[in-house]
Amino acid sequence: ILPHTFWVVFGVTLFIVALLTLLVYMLATQQTSLRARLQRRTRDLSEQLRERSRTEETLQSKHALLESISETSPVGIIAMDSEGTVTFANAYTARVLRVPQEELINRNVDEIRVRLETFEEDEPEAATIPFRGVMESGYPAFDLRYRLRHGDTTKIISVNAAPIPDSDEATPVLPLDEEGGEIAPVDSPAGVVQTIEDITEQVESEEHVKRALREKDVLLREIHHRVKNNLNIITSLLSLQQSRIYDAEAAVAEVRP
């Protein structure tokens, strides 16, 4: 009985040892596979992090460039969302409107306290920064001129406004009509962006040129009138001299036998 039991126990022991060996081998193989997958995943994550870092650096660089361009722009730039709330305004805008830059942001365009008047010679009317018309029509507006009054000073500003296409659109730019390349309206704009430029000196220069041209026109008319009068006098003198010559010739003809 003992030898038989011994061989049974020995066989079971060998089976358990073989099973444990197989399990250890399988675990080792799986561990090696998991380690390789983990290394590949780590490399992929590292590459994604490096790519994300490069993208963030590029975006930060572009953002810094755009901010530098907007803050050093020779014209004012102001943007509003679809409700008329100011989302961006550069330093030039604040300087022209004489409103602190931080007070412009997150304020509705109707709440910006500036005295604007339409650029009419006879009866200027109170006005506001153009927004509703561009939002409703979807068309841009160019060179809208206003008088900006602040205390005893008056400036003349030129405003250009354009609708901002919805960011969900494929190409967020002003669309062109297929016929003739005309600007087509923007459907449901996400907001409005405007440029504001102080053109007081330009308008004064234009008025100076117009006055100079009017003065030259008056002077030319006066010269023309005087030249015409002088020519009439000369013509009259020549006619008188000619009549005297005819009279003298007639007198000589009578005296001759």
Side-chain angles (χ1 to χ4, degrees):
I1 299 174
L2 288 177
H4 177 73
T5 304
F6 171 79
W7 287 110
V8 171
V9 173
F10 181 74
V12 171
T13 303
L14 287 179
F15 175 76
I16 294 174
V17 170
L19 182 61
L20 291 175
T21 302
L22 178 62
L23 290 175
V24 169
Y25 173 77
M26 292 176 62
L27 288 174
T29 303
Q30 188 173 10
Q31 183 180 12
T32 302
S33 176
L34 288 174
R35 185 182 295 110
R37 292 173 58 186
L38 181 61
Q39 290 176 349
R40 288 195 300 270
R41 184 59 177 168
T42 302
R43 287 195 300 269
D44 293 341
L45 289 175
S46 298
E47 183 61 29
Q48 291 177 5
L49 289 175
R50 284 194 294 269
E51 183 64 26
R52 182 174 180 179
S53 177
R54 288 193 293 267
T55 302
E56 290 179 351
E57 290 177 359
T58 302
L59 291 175
Q60 290 176 358
S61 176
K62 290 183 177 180
H63 177 75
L65 177 61
L66 290 175
E67 184 175 2
S68 175
I69 291 173
S70 63
E71 290 303 318
T72 58
S73 171
V75 298
I77 303 173
I78 182 170
M80 293 147 282
D81 62 16
S82 59
E83 299 299 324
T85 302
V86 177
T87 57
F88 175 82
N90 67 346
Y92 187 96
T93 301
R95 188 163 62 250
V96 171
L97 299 181
R98 294 191 178 184
V99 178
Q101 192 173 4
E102 60 274 8
E103 293 185 11
L104 290 173
I105 306 300
N106 295 326
R107 291 186 64 181
N108 192 276
V109 65
D110 295 329
E111 298 174 356
I112 300 176
R113 301 301 180 186
V114 292
R115 292 176 57 192
L116 286 181
E117 295 178 354
T118 56
F119 193 70
E120 300 291 342
E121 296 293 339
D122 298 329
E123 298 181 358
E125 299 178 354
T128 57
I129 295 176
F131 169 73
R132 306 295 177 192
V134 176
M135 281 293 299
E136 292 174 359
S137 67
Y139 281 100
F142 302 101
D143 196 22
L144 302 176
R145 296 190 174 189
Y146 302 91
R147 284 188 176 88
L148 174 63
R149 301 189 184 277
H150 188 275
D152 297 332
T153 61
T154 300
K155 293 183 178 180
I156 300 172
I157 61 174
S158 173
V159 178
N160 298 294
I164 301 175
D166 195 334
S167 58
D168 293 335
E169 295 183 6
T171 54
V173 296
L174 288 178
L176 295 178
D177 192 353
E178 295 180 357
E179 298 180 0
E182 298 292 335
I183 294 178
V186 175
D187 295 330
S188 302
V192 174
V193 61
Q194 300 177 358
T195 61
I196 302 175
E197 185 177 5
D198 183 357
I199 59 170
T200 305
E201 294 184 0
Q202 174 186 336
V203 172
E204 290 177 350
S205 298
E206 291 175 355
E207 291 297 327
H208 177 73
V209 171
K210 289 179 180 178
R211 285 195 299 270
L213 289 175
R214 285 195 295 267
E215 291 174 359
K216 288 183 178 180
D217 185 62
V218 172
L219 180 60
L220 287 173
R221 290 186 180 184
E222 180 65 21
I223 292 174
H224 178 268
H225 179 69
R226 293 188 179 185
V227 170
K228 184 177 180 180
N229 288 341
N230 290 335
L231 287 175
N232 288 333
I233 293 173
I234 293 172
T235 301
S236 298
L237 291 175
L238 290 175
S239 298
L240 180 60
Q241 185 67 25
Q242 185 179 14
S243 63
R244 288 181 179 178
I245 293 174
Y246 287 156
D247 292 343
E249 290 178 351
V252 172
E254 291 177 359
V255 171
R256 290 177 181 176

